[in-house]
Amino acid sequence: MKAYIQSLENGDLLNVNAFVASQGFKKLGWEVIPFFKLEEIQDLNPEDIVVGGIGTVRTRLAQLGVPKTSDEIDYPPSLQKYFRRKIWESTVGNIVTDEKNWGIFIKPKTDTKRFTGKVVRNFGDFIGLVQDNDTPIWCSEVVDIKTEWRCFIRYGEVLDIRFYHGAWDSKLDLAIVKSAVLDFKNAPAAYSLDFGVNELGEMILIEVNDGHSLGSYGMEDLRLSLIHISEPT
């Protein structure tokens, strides 16, 4: 079995996530092969793993006949009760042209690489985001999140949970995480639930991320490798 790990042009691994994944695959006894550009990989064996940036991994999946779905899985309807805020669809043009729509959080709906999600409070916040006013976006009310946790899910089981932002001493309600996993009936094989805790101590589902390019956030290397091995869906 081979694990191709993306590297920089100088041969160093792409980032800490690539390094952690490489260590995990070595422990599993896989052959670890660094690469700089995807074109270097001539073998299209679907049993091999490619670890790299989102664009690299999605291109590899397309090569293997696993095309990207039209939308991201950020806000599954089946998990709506965990959002605790209003979330709706719009376009950049609809939001930027009306000041009454400002003071919200926006992020790309169909392409996570289009721009980084952010709170827009004035016209200047839109500068440099996108050039196409028809770009579909998710919009949500702004909430005060004190702590954020990433919950790694694989085949319907909680594989790991990692604190990654805010107050380190906040309490995460594991029962709510497990309930969300059960409610996410059409979930991919591997994904993350990003939960936050607000100033009242309430759990809020921030977003869902597909498992094909999740960062480690300090997760043990073997567990990160298991996320990568999960069958794409």
Side-chain angles (χ1 to χ4, degrees), residues 102-121:
W102 299 352
I104 62 173
F105 175 84
I106 67 171
K107 63 180 294 185
K109 182 175 182 293
T110 58
D111 185 0
T112 57
K113 296 178 63 180
R114 196 70 182 264
F115 63 88
T116 301
K118 64 183 300 186
V119 175
V120 290
R121 302 187 186 281

Side-chain angles (χ1 to χ4, degrees), residues 169-205:
D169 57 346
S170 291
K171 303 298 182 182
L172 179 141
D173 191 335
L174 185 57
I176 293 179
V177 176
K178 291 182 176 180
S179 176
V181 172
L182 291 174
D183 287 340
F184 196 6
K185 303 296 185 183
N186 60 334
Y191 62 96
S192 73
L193 296 171
D194 287 357
F195 269 100
V197 178
N198 66 13
E199 72 280 3
L200 301 177
E202 299 170 328
M203 293 271 289
I204 295 176
L205 180 58

Side-chain angles (χ1 to χ4, degrees), residues 122-136:
N122 54 62
F123 185 78
D125 291 329
F126 293 92
I127 297 176
L129 287 186
V130 286
Q131 298 178 348
D132 185 0
N133 283 342
D134 294 328
T135 298

Side-chain angles (χ1 to χ4, degrees), residues 23-219:
Q23 296 304 300
F25 280 111
K26 287 177 181 178
K27 289 181 180 180
L28 290 172
W30 288 43
E31 181 183 359
V32 174
I33 304 171
F35 73 96
F36 175 53
K37 294 184 178 180
L38 194 58
E39 300 81 58
E40 300 170 21
I41 305 175
Q42 300 298 314
D43 188 358
L44 292 180
N45 182 358
E47 298 298 320
D48 295 335
I49 300 296
V50 169
V51 178
I54 292 177
T56 298
V57 173
R58 286 184 171 173
T59 299
R60 174 67 172 188
L61 290 174
Q63 290 175 347
L64 297 176
V66 187
K68 176 185 175 299
T69 57
S70 58
D71 292 334
E72 305 293 342
I73 62 170
D74 307 90
Y75 308 115
S78 59
L79 299 183
Q80 186 173 9
K81 68 179 181 181
Y82 301 97
F83 298 153
R84 291 182 176 269
R85 64 197 186 281
K86 181 182 177 182
I87 298 174
W88 67 101
E89 301 175 33
S90 188
T91 65
V92 169
N94 288 338
I95 300 301
V96 73
T97 56
D98 190 345
E99 293 185 27
K100 296 192 298 292
N101 294 327
W102 299 352
I104 62 173
F105 175 84
I106 67 171
K107 63 180 294 185
K109 182 175 182 293
T110 58
D111 185 0
T112 57
K113 296 178 63 180
R114 196 70 182 264
F115 63 88
T116 301
K118 64 183 300 186
V119 175
V120 290
R121 302 187 186 281
N122 54 62
F123 185 78
D125 291 329
F126 293 92
I127 297 176
L129 287 186
V130 286
Q131 298 178 348
D132 185 0
N133 283 342
D134 294 328
T135 298
I137 57 174
W138 285 113
C139 305
S140 73
E141 296 175 321
V142 177
V143 291
D144 186 9
I145 300 296
K146 298 301 184 182
T147 307
E148 298 180 21
W149 302 78
R150 170 152 290 184
C151 308
F152 296 85
I153 317 300
R154 181 175 185 263
Y155 297 141
E157 299 290 338
V158 180
L159 186 66
D160 205 330
I161 297 178
R162 292 285 158 172
F163 159 81
Y164 68 88
H165 179 73
W168 62 269
D169 57 346
S170 291
K171 303 298 182 182
L172 179 141
D173 191 335
L174 185 57
I176 293 179
V177 176
K178 291 182 176 180
S179 176
V181 172
L182 291 174
D183 287 340
F184 196 6
K185 303 296 185 183
N186 60 334
Y191 62 96
S192 73
L193 296 171
D194 287 357
F195 269 100
V197 178
N198 66 13
E199 72 280 3
L200 301 177
E202 299 170 328
M203 293 271 289
I204 295 176
L205 180 58
I206 300 172
E207 64 182 9
V208 180
N209 291 285
D210 205 316
H212 55 57
S213 291
L214 294 177
S216 64
Y217 288 91
M219 183 166 55

